[in-house]
Amino acid sequence: MKPETPKKTRLLLVVDDDRDHLALVERWLSLEGFEVTGAESGETALAVLEAQRPDLVLTDLVMSGIDGIRLLREIHRHDPVMPVIIMSGQAGIPDAVKATHLGASAFLTKPIQREALIAEVGQALAAHSGAEVGGVDGFAPKLVHRSQLMAELLGRARLVSAVDTTVLITGETGTGKELLAEAIHAGSPRAEAPFVAINCSALPEELLESELFGHEKGAFTGAVNRHEGLFQAADGGTLFLDEIGDMPLALQAKLLRVLQDFKVRPVGSTRAIPVDVRIISATHHNLEQLVEQGDFREDLFYRLSVVPMHMPSLRERREDIPLLVDYFLRKVAQRTVRRPKRFAPDALRHLIGADLPGNVRQLQNLIEQCSVLSPSDIIPVALTAQALREKPAQIPSLDEAKQAFERRYLIGVLRAAEGNITIAARLAGRNRTEFYKLLGRHNLDPTRFRQRGSSKERREDDTPPDALRQESA
Amino acid sequence: METAAVTERFTVAVDADIADLAQDFLRNRASVPKRAAAAAAAHDLALLQRIGHELKGTAGSYGFRELSTIGATLETAATAGNLASAADAIAQMGDYLARVSVIPR
């Protein structure tokens, strides 16, 4: 069942003191299904704007009285995000630059080509529309979109949120799989209970097992305290198992058992604890292929994928890029407490056509980078192209990836050992000196992982070797 | 596309859905050569420039490319203060408007 997404009729205001040109532009836009209001002067346009709120204004530049630039300023004084397209018979670059810097969405030179006009209007509306942000009835507000593909996906997600079935979300890295899982949780009867997420690829098998199911005190070397697992932490809510395809086979069997009777048995315990948890999992792998290869249990696959959902890549939903750009620019502006910057029209077109293998996450990073580095309020195409060529952060080098993994691993070990260096070093298969070196390299302080009341008894044990005291301080 | 007819008149094919507007545009321009000639006689270069500028843009948008070019010539002549060239352009404009008609395509 697909949600209906009725197309809203857009109201456009066209301003031109040449009555015949005004009539022509009005006709072209009306034929495209827009509702159009015409004004033969800037003064009339301002009077219209007092009574109506069009979705876009298209104005001539050279007019007696209030000209196009002044009208643009007046409009943006009251409504800074209103898209305004300037038309001019003078193909003067200074005018176009000035109009663009003042926030014009596009600059059209007369004589105007019908196709160019329709294209610019469509792009400006798409870039500035906030009406279609988020899903149906406020569902998944963070999944900004206008594409039918996403609308259909969110329609299905909304339906599935109401029932407790397992959901398997597939999709490339950076597409927003966790956001979709969060949305399903937020739209479910479990919304008031916790949403707990874990990345199954970030931890070694023993730690992952302990993280998921918990452990009893003394269950293994280093288990100095009882530890409640994430299944219990998510009781009543949703547990999101990210990168489920990377879960070791032995642990898959244990997870399957939990999913069969919804009871967890912490490591080292003989007692099974009932849990009420909804499972949503995600992977960038083709799980069916992993099943065929014998790397993923078939029974678990069917248990997890009662409802499969696929997050499309950004290249499958390029029409969403202008909205996403607008959304992220506003987020940057909120964080920096400044007015949102904007991409120049050609820069936006460049982004829409760009190859973004890191998907929405890469787009977000790129927008932040451009927003920070752009010296003016309008982000130029040159900066955008440069940022795209550099592909910052999204595709880290192998060394960077290794470092990131090592840090995550050390944090996991420290957490499991609750900050006890001797135990943590043993878990990691390193001596204390080597382990301290590793911590120093990642600027990790083991005391931060200790539980209150237990640090005193381990202080002596955790004294770093003399040679490393300064380094790890 | 502008094609010479057997008679002195010629036709310009415009999109059927704007053909009525194109006819109105030509009708509304009938008095422009006279107004332009008066501006030239009064050495009102600013008005001449504006007339040429508007004609260039609007005629071009409707698809009257030759008339648009005449408008551009008038605008350039007025900007340069070249009244002789402006007079030529005004004459061409009058000739064009007297002979043109629209056919929908």
Side-chain angles (χ1 to χ4, degrees), chain A residues 56-242:
Chain A
L56 178 144
V57 177
L58 190 73
T59 179
D60 192 19
L61 177 66
V62 181
M63 295 185 289
S64 53
I66 295 177
D67 67 6
I69 293 290
R70 204 173 135 199
L71 181 61
L72 171 69
R73 281 201 173 110
E74 286 293 321
I75 290 169
H76 280 176
R77 188 136 55 100
H78 298 288
D79 188 348
V81 297
M82 170 87 71
V84 178
I85 295 176
I86 303 270
M87 304 177 285
S88 175
Q90 288 160 323
I93 290 170
D95 283 329
V97 169
K98 189 176 177 187
T100 307
H101 275 267
L102 285 170
S105 298
F107 194 89
L108 286 166
T109 303
K110 288 181 179 178
I112 286 172
Q113 300 296 314
R114 185 176 186 162
E115 294 76 17
L117 172 78
I118 303 305
E120 290 292 359
V121 167
Q123 282 180 18
L125 284 173
H128 293 85
S129 170
E132 290 154 295
V133 170
V136 188
D137 296 339
F139 180 79
K142 290 180 185 170
L143 286 166
V144 178
H145 74 283
R146 64 186 298 274
S147 62
Q148 188 62 25
L149 199 59
M150 283 297 288
E152 287 174 11
L153 176 73
L154 294 185
R156 288 180 62 216
R158 187 167 178 247
L159 288 174
V160 91
S161 67
V163 284
D164 254 357
T165 52
T166 60
V167 179
L168 174 66
I169 305 168
T170 54
E172 293 177 12
T173 180
T175 49
K177 296 188 286 292
E178 184 165 346
L179 283 182
L180 182 62
E182 278 178 3
I184 292 170
H185 169 75
S188 76
R190 297 172 174 271
E192 298 301 317
F195 173 85
V196 178
I198 182 168
N199 187 326
C200 299
S201 69
L203 294 172
E205 184 173 339
E206 295 76 18
L207 279 180
L208 184 56
E209 181 178 2
S210 167
E211 277 295 293
L212 283 173
F213 309 128
H215 64 247
E216 291 297 329
K217 186 177 178 181
F220 50 84
T221 313
V224 289
N225 280 315
R226 186 176 170 275
H227 171 68
E228 191 180 72
L230 295 182
F231 264 95
Q232 284 175 267
D235 196 28
T238 303
L239 181 60
F240 176 59
L241 302 172
D242 199 5

